[in-house]
Amino acid sequence: FRFKDSLAEDLRKADLVISHAGAGSCLETLEEGKPLIVVTNEKLMNNHQLELAQQLHRDGHVLCCNCSTLVETLQSMDLSTLKPFPPGQPEKFALFLDKVFGFQ
């Protein structure tokens, strides 16, 4: 599909997700607890997607490749090596904002 309002149902049903390295796509997939292969686009300028993909890979949460190495990554992948992504803690952020703005 070219566009879909939400991928939430697709993510819940997926056994494996292959995605670009957009922050929303990565985090939504990892929060759903699904294994993720991130395919980076090396042609982007100021490539923040590459930085995110590399950090998530270093932390052991995703497999990372580019278009030319995707097939090799699929053939050699060991999803059991991936670490679960820790859940978000929005209450800590709320406490931080309260402190910054003097609401405590």
Side-chain angles (χ1 to χ4, degrees):
F1 46 84
R2 290 182 55 97
F3 176 79
K4 203 170 190 182
D5 287 334
S6 173
L7 296 175
E9 184 179 341
D10 298 295
L11 288 174
R12 279 191 293 277
K13 292 178 180 178
D15 294 321
L16 171 67
V17 176
I18 301 171
S19 175
H20 74 132
S25 300
C26 290
L27 295 176
E28 190 174 356
T29 301
L30 292 171
E31 287 172 353
E32 192 63 40
K34 300 299 180 169
L36 175 60
I37 297 177
V38 176
V39 181
T40 60
N41 180 350
E42 296 155 335
K43 295 178 183 177
L44 293 177
M45 298 200 48
N46 300 320
N47 199 345
H48 64 279
Q49 288 191 6
L50 179 60
E51 293 172 11
L52 174 63
Q54 289 175 335
Q55 186 62 53
L56 290 171
H57 179 71
R58 278 192 298 270
D59 292 343
H61 302 300
V62 304
L63 298 176
C64 187
C65 65
N66 57 44
C67 289
S68 63
T69 60
L70 176 59
V71 172
E72 178 185 332
T73 300
L74 288 166
Q75 291 171 337
S76 65
M77 69 182 179
D78 180 359
L79 299 179
S80 69
T81 64
L82 296 178
K83 298 176 185 174
F85 191 72
Q89 298 177 333
E91 63 281 351
K92 285 188 176 183
F93 183 64
L95 288 172
F96 169 76
L97 289 178
D98 286 348
K99 185 175 182 179
V100 168
F101 291 108
F103 296 128
Q104 284 183 323

